[in-house]
């Protein structure tokens, strides 16, 4: 059995939704299509398709093989193009995973430009704040917001974002303004579920001394915009990257806190399985993103920039009886 041909037949049957339409697309007979599917199922020892008189449906094994078959066929097409042409044209489906808020705010405006430049690349964008296994889950590329790069995959840095602790003016008027990190222990804080440090917030002062404070959360959220909305409503103190809250800081809707103390910066990374055998579609996407973020973004805060801070809350007068 020609396994590569069998994968092609199987993927075409699934994509076209029938044996007959697949046979037409492959310029062969329905009997040949049926033979390839039967031989593939026998070789793998499992059923791939549930057949009925009206429609086809994938089994669990069929779903897994379908995704991998498409990737294999795309890689074979890339290899053939590389062998037959000095210039490989990027094409095929490109699966990208990115965080929700960053994907909507910073990446979504870029995709039309990429699509216009590379019309033969089909973008498949999935947004999730969960850290995915790009190999296990079949992604070609992931955008990560991280303080440290990946241990097992290749990565290129796109930008750096400053993390800033802040709160709404209404919250500070009611609860006062923290002056040192330790003050946060008595404040209402809004947490990010996927933060590596849980309820410990880490700071470094101007003399490079480390400060760690355990905060009390009144809300956890697995998405930065959710925590941001609560902060804008005066419900607590948050730390978030500048790409998410930069405009709020400039417009005064949120006020940066703790002058003289900084949280560690985070990098925006393009992560992919390996630098070896990098497909053309991944290579051009990474280069495109590097160029798009080459100039300091509007939300970027240089490491040595002074950030304005809120004035301390006025002291309350004690009543004298």
């Amino acid at each position: 059995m020609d396994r590569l041909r069998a994968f092609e037949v199987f993927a075409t049957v699934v994509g076209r939704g029938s044996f007959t339409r697949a046979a037409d697309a492959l310029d062969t007979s329905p009997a040949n299509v049926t033979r390839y599917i039967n031989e593939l199922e026998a070789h793998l020892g499992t059923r791939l398709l549930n057949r009925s008189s009206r429609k086809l449906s994938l089994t669990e094994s069929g779903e897994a093989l379908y995704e991998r078959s498409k990737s294999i066929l795309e890689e074979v097409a890339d290899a053939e193009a590389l062998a037959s042409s000095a210039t490989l044209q990027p094409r095929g489906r490109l699966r990208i995973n990115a965080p929700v808020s960053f994907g909507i705010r910073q990446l979504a405006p870029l995709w039309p430009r990429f699509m216009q430049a590379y019309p033969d690349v089909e973008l498949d964008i999935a947004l999730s704040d969960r850290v995915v296994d790009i190999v296990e889950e079949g992604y070609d590329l992931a955008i990560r917001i991280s303080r440290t790069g990946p241990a097992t995959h290749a990565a290129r840095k796109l930008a750096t974002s400053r993390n800033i602790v802040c709160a709404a003016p209404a919250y500070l008027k009611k609860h006062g303004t923290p002056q040192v990190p330790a003050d946060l222990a008595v404040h209402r804080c809004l947490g990010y579920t996927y933060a590596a440090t849980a309820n410990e917030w880490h700071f470094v002062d101007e003399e490079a001394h480390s400060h760690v404070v355990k905060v009390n959360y009144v809300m956890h959220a697995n998405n930065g915009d959710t925590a941001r909305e609560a902060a804008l409503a005066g419900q607590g103190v948050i730390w978030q990257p500048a790409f998410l809250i930069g405009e709020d800081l400039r417009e005064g809707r949120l006020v940066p806190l703790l002058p003289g103390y900084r949280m560690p910066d985070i990098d925006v990374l393009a992560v992919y399985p390996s630098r070896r055998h990098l497909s053309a579609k991944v290579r051009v996407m990474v280069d495109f993103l590097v160029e798009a973020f080459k100039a300091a973004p509007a939300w970027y805060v240089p490491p040595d920039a002074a950030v304005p801070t809120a004035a301390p809350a006025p002291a309350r007068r004690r009543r004298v009886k």
Side-chain angles (χ1 to χ4, degrees):
M1 178 186 65
D2 183 342
R3 279 184 287 178
L4 185 59
R5 178 61 171 175
F7 288 155
E8 182 183 19
V9 171
F10 170 68
T12 306
V13 168
V14 176
R16 300 284 176 157
S18 83
F19 282 58
T20 301
R21 286 193 290 270
D24 290 340
L26 296 169
D27 194 22
T28 188
S29 67
N32 267 337
V33 171
T34 301
R35 179 174 61 82
Y36 270 110
I37 297 300
N38 289 341
E39 289 180 356
L40 184 59
E41 289 180 330
H43 173 73
L44 297 174
T46 185
R47 179 176 289 275
L48 302 173
L49 294 165
N50 292 315
R51 305 162 175 84
S52 71
S53 59
R54 294 186 177 180
K55 67 175 184 177
L56 299 174
S57 63
L58 287 167
T59 65
E60 184 176 352
S61 297
E63 289 180 359
L65 182 63
Y66 178 57
E67 294 301 324
R68 296 305 299 160
S69 294
K70 288 195 295 182
S71 297
I72 290 169
L73 293 170
E74 288 174 1
E75 289 176 6
V76 169
D78 282 349
E80 290 175 341
L82 182 61
S84 62
S85 174
T87 304
L88 176 62
Q89 292 298 320
R91 61 191 176 109
R93 187 174 62 149
L94 180 59
R95 297 195 69 213
I96 301 175
N97 175 267
V100 176
S101 295
F102 191 84
I104 294 172
R105 291 166 174 266
Q106 310 300 331
L107 296 176
L110 300 178
W111 300 141
R113 287 167 45 193
F114 180 88
M115 294 166 69
Q116 184 174 7
Y118 301 99
D120 293 331
V121 177
E122 173 194 347
L123 293 182
D124 183 351
I125 312 295
L127 302 183
S128 171
D129 285 336
R130 175 179 62 87
V131 177
V132 303
D133 185 322
I134 57 177
V135 174
E136 188 70 23
E137 300 185 41
Y139 288 102
D140 300 295
L141 179 71
I143 306 302
R144 297 268 173 84
I145 313 297
S146 174
R147 293 178 181 175
T148 58
T152 57
H153 301 311
R156 285 183 69 181
K157 185 168 77 170
L158 305 178
T160 297
S161 179
R162 187 167 178 178
N163 284 321
I164 301 175
V165 179
C166 56
Y171 174 87
L172 299 175
K173 182 177 180 180
K174 183 176 181 180
H175 298 278
T177 302
Q179 300 300 302
V180 294
D183 292 346
L184 294 172
V186 296
H187 278 266
R188 295 166 56 88
C189 294
L190 308 169
Y192 179 57
T193 305
Y194 296 125
T197 54
N199 68 328
E200 290 186 346
W201 291 13
H202 294 246
F203 298 86
V204 176
D205 63 25
E206 294 174 336
E207 297 179 352
H209 295 146
S210 178
H211 301 262
V212 179
V213 57
K214 286 189 175 181
V215 301
N216 298 309
Y217 287 134
V218 294
M219 186 184 82
H220 283 89
N222 68 354
N223 169 258
D225 268 308
T226 301
R228 168 183 168 271
E229 287 295 335
L232 289 171
Q235 293 304 307
V237 178
I238 59 168
W239 69 261
Q240 287 292 332
F243 68 74
L244 182 62
I245 58 172
E247 185 175 350
D248 298 317
L249 296 170
R250 290 191 295 272
E251 298 295 329
R253 293 185 292 268
L254 292 174
V255 179
L257 306 174
L258 303 176
Y261 299 90
R262 284 186 53 197
M263 301 190 91
D265 294 340
I266 53 174
D267 290 331
V268 181
L269 305 170
V271 179
Y272 41 98
S274 173
R275 287 187 176 88
R276 295 184 61 192
H277 309 301
L278 190 63
S279 67
K281 60 188 178 182
V282 174
R283 186 184 309 112
V284 295
M285 174 58 78
V286 173
D287 290 343
F288 170 82
L289 292 173
V290 168
E291 185 64 27
F293 289 101
K294 191 173 183 179
W299 41 264
Y300 180 76
V301 180
D304 57 350
V307 179
T309 186
R316 295 181 179 178
R317 294 183 178 180
R318 298 179 60 186
R319 291 185 178 181
V320 180
K321 295 183 178 179

